[in-house]
Amino acid sequence: MIPAMPAHAPPSRPASVAVLRFGRFTLMGVVAVLILIAGVWASWGTAQHVMLTKGRERGTVDVVRCGAETCWGRFAPVSAGAQPRSRVVLERSVAVERGRTYAVVLKPGGAEAVRSGPAGVLYAWVPLGGALLLASVVVAGGLLRTRAAWVLALSGVALLTAAFVTV
């Protein structure tokens, strides 16, 4: 036996520690993926109308009046086959003001409109930006993957900043 070598091998970790660690990584991975799926799901409800405009009525809305949660005004069509409407409802946000005109896409089967163009696309994906930020915390703390967490966090911040600047 060589004097520098121990007489016996160092004790290995018990199997239960490895199982618990694997369980934690699995659970935190599932939580992070569910957060991201929820962000995409919440964003897609509006984003589909803004991004897939073929066959939808496009135009502009002159906002005449605003309530607590919605604004409304006259719809002037831009796309072929779109009909002018005297009242179209637009979700009220910090970026919608009375007296301004916005490019919109009408949701099928109603008088509800969503903003179109770059501002509308970025605004539609804001829930995903929040989900990216939240998932980055789970990835950093639960999975101990700091680089991946930084990528998620910076992606979320970039998306939210771009939406804020364009809207």
Side-chain angles (χ1 to χ4, degrees):
M1 179 156 98
I2 301 173
M5 292 181 59
H8 54 56
S12 62
R13 287 191 285 186
S16 62
V17 172
V19 169
L20 286 174
R21 189 170 187 191
F22 177 74
R24 182 189 70 177
F25 281 125
T26 303
L27 180 63
M28 290 296 110
V30 167
V31 168
V33 167
L34 285 176
I35 290 170
L36 292 174
I37 289 172
V40 170
W41 186 273
S43 296
W44 187 246
T46 302
Q48 66 178 324
H49 302 294
V50 178
M51 295 175 69
L52 306 174
T53 60
K54 186 175 182 181
R56 300 192 195 274
E57 295 183 76
R58 294 182 311 249
T60 59
V61 171
D62 297 320
V63 177
V64 185
R65 182 169 286 169
C66 289
E69 295 180 10
T70 59
C71 293
W72 54 90
R74 289 179 296 280
F75 175 74
V78 173
S79 63
Q83 300 296 321
R85 298 198 169 125
S86 60
R87 181 179 164 116
V88 170
V89 178
L90 187 63
E91 179 185 340
R92 183 174 188 171
S93 68
V94 293
V96 176
E97 298 175 5
R98 196 174 134 234
R100 294 196 55 197
T101 302
Y102 300 99
V104 296
V105 175
L106 295 181
K107 289 184 177 180
E112 189 176 346
V114 292
R115 288 189 63 179
S116 63
V121 171
L122 289 170
Y123 184 70
W125 289 105
V126 164
L128 177 61
L132 286 166
L133 286 174
L134 184 58
S136 73
V137 174
V138 173
V139 169
L143 295 176
L144 305 175
R145 303 286 187 244
T146 54
R147 286 184 186 157
W150 275 109
V151 168
L152 289 172
L154 291 175
S155 299
V157 167
L159 178 58
L160 293 174
T161 303
F164 177 77
V165 168
T166 59
V167 171

